[in-house]
Amino acid sequence: MAKVIYPGTFDPVTNGHIDIVYRAVELFDEVIVTVARNPSKTILFSVDERVEMLKESFKDLKKVTVDSFDGLVVDHARNLNAIGIIRGLRAISDFEYEFQMALMNRKLAGEITTILLMPHAKYTYLNSTIVRNLAQFHGDISEFVPPHVFERLKKKFGYK
Ligand code: COA
């Protein structure tokens, strides 16, 4: 059973993250999408809200489960007996940070492999901050997030 985790802040989950998960389920037996409980970022949605949105997004994928974690990502991977950590690589600008994180995680836990997957090119400029910024000004983000996430953002930002 090849089990991997896909960690992130997911504030909120976007179609780019979903694209990565669809690629990961083609390769692995089980994919655990895991929400960082204490990221070094200002957060819009609570952990519970982020987990709920992820669960809704992957309700049709039997190989996917959703949880959350505190502390080091490699400790969480070890606790779950995962063989690897999935990360998305959108552009060359992501590379240096992902490379550094992958090597540090390898130093901490040599048995856990980082796997970098590229989303579809149409998502290379997407991130959760851009989605939140557009939503703040009531922009149309229907291309970037699933409808249920758009609904939550509409409520948060009082779209008319
Ligand atoms: N589609 C759309 N957006 C994507 C994406 C994709 N395929 N892949 C990445 N992104 C976005 C994310 O939404 C995020 O956007 P944001 O900054 O607007 O929130 C950004 O790209 C990536 O941010 P990053 O900080 O790299 O990742 P993250 O916030 O998703 O998750 C953790 C980082 C939580 C995995 C990492 O900090 C961690 O492991 N923390 C635990 C502590 C630890 O173990 N530290 C040691 C690591 S060496």
Side-chain angles (χ1 to χ4, degrees):
M1 272 287 283
K3 187 194 287 182
V4 291
I5 67 170
Y6 178 33
T9 307
F10 303 114
D11 187 37
V13 60
T14 69
N15 290 340
H17 299 121
I18 291 170
D19 176 290
I20 295 288
V21 171
Y22 271 81
R23 290 173 200 281
V25 294
E26 294 294 316
L27 300 169
F28 300 102
D29 299 308
E30 192 176 342
V31 178
I32 300 163
V33 183
T34 186
V35 172
R37 298 188 75 86
N38 294 304
S40 50
K41 293 182 182 182
T42 308
I43 290 304
L44 175 66
F45 289 105
S46 70
V47 174
D48 287 347
E49 287 175 307
R50 285 180 277 147
V51 166
E52 280 166 20
M53 285 186 277
L54 286 162
K55 283 188 173 164
E56 179 67 21
S57 304
F58 302 120
K59 63 174 194 265
D60 296 329
L61 293 181
K62 288 195 168 47
K63 289 178 170 185
V64 177
T65 54
V66 180
D67 74 359
S68 62
F69 75 105
D70 258 329
L72 291 178
V73 72
V74 288
D75 289 340
H76 191 52
R78 270 182 175 147
N79 290 339
L80 295 170
N81 290 321
I83 61 162
I85 297 170
I86 300 283
R87 293 284 293 165
L89 196 63
R90 289 160 300 166
I92 195 74
S93 49
D94 283 343
F95 178 76
E96 213 167 318
Y97 173 64
E98 293 301 334
F99 186 63
Q100 183 183 26
M101 204 154 62
L103 291 184
M104 180 53 78
N105 283 331
R106 183 192 282 167
K107 173 95 184 137
L108 295 170
E111 77 281 14
I112 294 166
T113 302
T114 297
I115 301 116
L116 298 175
L117 297 177
M118 272 69 74
H120 192 285
K122 67 186 174 189
Y123 300 129
T124 48
Y125 58 93
L126 191 57
N127 66 27
S128 300
T129 302
I130 286 180
V131 164
R132 290 195 308 274
N133 284 348
L134 286 171
Q136 191 181 347
F137 299 108
H138 302 183
D140 180 4
I141 48 169
S142 52
E143 263 184 72
F144 310 127
V145 295
H148 65 94
V149 173
F150 196 3
E151 285 310 311
R152 292 215 186 214
L153 284 160
K154 282 180 180 169
K155 278 194 193 124
K156 281 265 183 212
F157 290 112
Y159 277 58
K160 290 189 190 81

